Amino acid sequence: MEGNDVTLVILGATGDLTRRLLMPAIYRLFVRAQWQPRHIVGYGRSEWTDERFREHLEKSLKEFAREDFERKSWKELAARLTYRPGELHAEHLQGLAELVEGPAIFYLALPPGLFGEAAEALGQAGLHREDDGWRRIVIEKPFGSDLESALALHRQIHRYWQESQVYRIDHYLGKETVQNLMVFRFANRFIEPVWNAAHVEQVQITVAETLGLEGRWRYYDQAGALRDMLQNHLMQLFTLTAMEPPAVWHPEVLRDHKVEVLRAVRPIPETAVERFAARGQYAAGTVQGQQVPGYREEPNIPRDSRTETFAAVKFFVDTWRWKGVPFYLRSGKRLRADYSEVAIGFREVPTHLFRQTPLEGLSANWLIFRLKPSECIDLYAWARAPGLQLNARHLVLSAPFRQDDEPEFSAYEQLLLDVVRGDRTHFLRHDEVEWAWRVLDPVLKAWQHGAPEPYAAGGEGPTGQHRILEPGHVWRPIG
Ligand code: BG6
């Protein structure tokens, strides 16, 4: 089977990412015989033995892959696991050389601040060399914390690794519903004629979460919603919605088209950021019936923290296709519901022939790609209202993305298999990362001053988000 001769090296093997997401994905692929790596080497600072590593993973899998866990396959997988303690220094990493034979993946399940150092140390140890099989390195967002640090990281990685060896994960690109944006757009003839400024009035991209910090205060208080969600996940939803149709299905062509969108975003004027971006920070409130503390009352968060937990921005894409259409992007924590969608709002028809009950302030026709809570495609349309009058009323044509018995594959399962196959379609190219930072740079700069507006946990976010909307537009409700 493809990829069964591959060695997977996990740097940061005792950490949270490995335990919660990576190993469960590997285990599921293993059980279904979709990928059974020759050897998995865990590497970390803790002085663990192979046995301790296996026990740790067994416990984690029982927790995070519970429904799939069974003894026999675990025993088979466990037999392929090795652990090596060490630091991120070339001398220590050299010790891995004897364990790594043939094609190999180096997965950096490390804090983002260590990516550059680790990539370089692997290179110094010669592990990037493809003498006896390909070598690939995997890192996951965030890639830097602004343009400058992203460029520095890029230089550090490329000291030894070729761009074609680097797989940058944004797990949204591994979501089936996100990939569906491309399939639905480019496999249906009826979409393209209306997918432009002549017919589309606005686009709203929302990723709302009920979750708070989940113990990630150290990272989150440095990052905030703009860096944590908007610069990457929402930017992906945005570029996939706005890009031109590629003529061929090829990773480089696809990524060229996404970069093209980012390059065409009208720069946000540094002096008018207020009109294009809004931020908020949750205060105490009730989320789905549960009383929760405000952000500043969370453990370890400074009482005067100015980190935003909600961010909204407005982009205009100055292309023939999109000139004048606002793209609104927003994401926040501790909101009313777990609710994510890409919503395309269409323009009104030129004349209203029938008595219609308007949707308050919202466009009449929406095409919605919903990721959460349910995975579906909704089309809001007018139809005749039953009764003796020829009136129109709204109906929603709704299609679930998945039938009940169709299994769901996690983003990590999708993306790991892509790394094994060498398919870089759903990974970020360095210029994509850089342009995403460039576009947001004026906002990052402006937000160094002032403070986010408080919003009650469990609500729809700060009132300031309405300020950035064009006249006549309103945000779609969350949930
Ligand atoms: C992560 C962010 O990248 O994505 C988290 O760091 C966020 O803060 C998560 O909760 C959301 O992912 P998903 O797949 O649950 O929408």
Side-chain angles (χ1 to χ4, degrees), residues 25-58:
I26 293 168
Y27 178 74
R28 287 199 189 98
L29 291 172
F30 190 86
V31 174
R32 297 191 191 119
Q34 276 148 335
W35 182 41
Q36 302 190 319
R38 189 176 74 85
H39 192 180
I40 300 177
V41 183
Y43 189 84
R45 287 169 63 182
S46 311
E47 289 286 338
W48 286 6
T49 57
D50 290 350
E51 212 32 59
R52 170 98 197 262
F53 184 51
R54 290 179 192 141
E55 276 164 24
H56 165 78
L57 292 183
E58 182 176 352

Side-chain angles (χ1 to χ4, degrees), residues 140-141 171-172 175 207 209 211-212 216 219-220 228-229 232-233 333 340 372:
E140 182 168 354
K141 69 114 236 187
H171 81 277
Y172 267 52
K175 286 183 189 271
V207 178
E209 297 183 285
L211 286 179
R216 296 158 75 218
Y219 155 74
Y220 196 87
D228 183 46
M229 297 293 288
N232 32 73
H233 303 326
K333 296 219 178 271
S340 312
K372 276 186 192 169

Side-chain angles (χ1 to χ4, degrees), residues 433-448:
V433 175
E434 287 163 25
W435 275 98
W437 283 120
R438 219 167 253 137
V439 164
L440 290 174
D441 203 47
V443 184
L444 286 169
K445 287 210 174 98
W447 287 6
Q448 283 169 5

Side-chain angles (χ1 to χ4, degrees), residues 348-417:
E348 289 285 322
V349 287
T351 53
H352 290 284
L353 302 176
F354 315 106
R355 197 134 62 83
Q356 299 167 340
T357 330
L359 286 182
E360 274 167 56
L362 288 173
S363 307
N365 294 144
W366 288 92
L367 176 61
I368 293 158
F369 297 88
R370 191 160 297 120
L371 283 60
K372 276 186 192 169
S374 52
E375 299 178 316
C376 62
I377 302 171
D378 283 357
L379 178 64
Y380 286 51
W382 292 107
R384 189 194 189 283
L388 296 175
Q389 313 282 343
L390 193 64
N391 290 342
R393 70 167 181 189
H394 257 111
L395 58 79
V396 185
L397 303 167
S398 189
F401 171 73
R402 187 189 312 280
Q403 307 300 328
D404 289 343
D405 54 347
E406 283 173 328
E408 191 176 340
F409 296 96
S410 74
Y412 286 88
E413 287 163 65
Q414 303 271 352
L415 295 174
L416 268 170
L417 270 191

